[in-house]
Amino acid sequence: MTLEQKTAVYSFEAPLMAGAVLAGASEEAIVALGRFGRLVGVAFQLTDDILGVFGDPARTGKSALTDLREGKQTALVAYAGTTGDWPAIAPFVGKADLTQDEAEEARVLLRSCGALQSTDELAIDHARRAVAALDTAAIPAVLRTTLTQLADTSVNRSR
């Protein structure tokens, strides 16, 4: 399942488009809101994937071990898999009994290979593109402001 089929569609794109349809918005507005929703949803999911490995469990409310233990194929893992550090990272991905120390070692490697930075930059790029999708007269200024704040929050959060 791709990022776009995951959180982006059912949590962002579809609700925004449904709300626009129910409000009697123009086709242009519906399309713009759908594009915004898909892009901001991907930004949100990428950030969620970062928090799933690098987040503070006291703030996120979830373990920072679970994604690694489950071997989730996140953007972090995908990027790391293209680097020379992958052979050192791979043993930690999907290791059901991964320890805190091993997870910390994986985090160090994910940082050093560029996976964390790349995933963060990808999330920020999606949030910027989402905001750009709202650049149409069909989207009222007050809605554009609110959704721009949502896009910012989607990538600048600790939980």
Side-chain angles (χ1 to χ4, degrees):
M1 182 173 278
T2 69
L3 286 173
E4 290 181 351
Q5 295 169 325
K6 199 173 176 183
T7 301
V9 172
Y10 66 77
S11 294
F12 292 92
E13 181 181 9
L16 282 168
M17 292 179 78
V21 168
L22 292 171
S26 69
E27 182 67 24
E28 182 181 356
I30 295 166
V31 169
L33 289 169
R35 179 160 173 71
F36 170 86
R38 185 166 290 232
L39 289 164
V40 82
V42 170
F44 183 92
Q45 185 60 51
L46 288 164
T47 302
D48 199 60
D49 291 343
I50 291 170
L51 292 172
V53 174
F54 291 93
D56 175 0
R59 297 199 67 153
T60 63
K62 65 180 190 174
S63 170
L65 298 174
T66 303
D67 286 2
L68 288 170
R69 283 180 175 163
E70 292 179 0
K72 286 190 177 176
Q73 296 301 305
T74 65
L76 290 166
V77 170
Y79 183 92
T82 68
T83 71
D85 289 333
W86 180 245
I89 297 167
F92 301 120
V93 179
K95 186 174 189 247
D97 61 348
L98 186 76
T99 67
Q100 286 287 356
D101 288 342
E102 290 169 329
E104 189 52 39
E105 188 175 341
R107 288 183 199 103
V108 167
L109 291 165
L110 288 166
R111 276 189 186 94
S112 68
C113 80
L116 175 59
Q117 180 178 341
S118 174
T119 303
D120 187 50
E121 288 172 357
L122 188 59
I124 290 167
D125 179 61
H126 274 76
R128 284 186 188 134
R129 289 173 41 215
V131 170
L134 301 173
D135 191 18
T136 171
I139 305 296
V142 68
L143 179 57
R144 190 175 309 120
T145 298
T146 300
L147 292 177
T148 297
Q149 291 169 347
L150 173 66
D152 182 61
T153 302
S154 74
V155 293
N156 293 306
R157 61 194 177 90
S158 58
R159 54 187 194 119

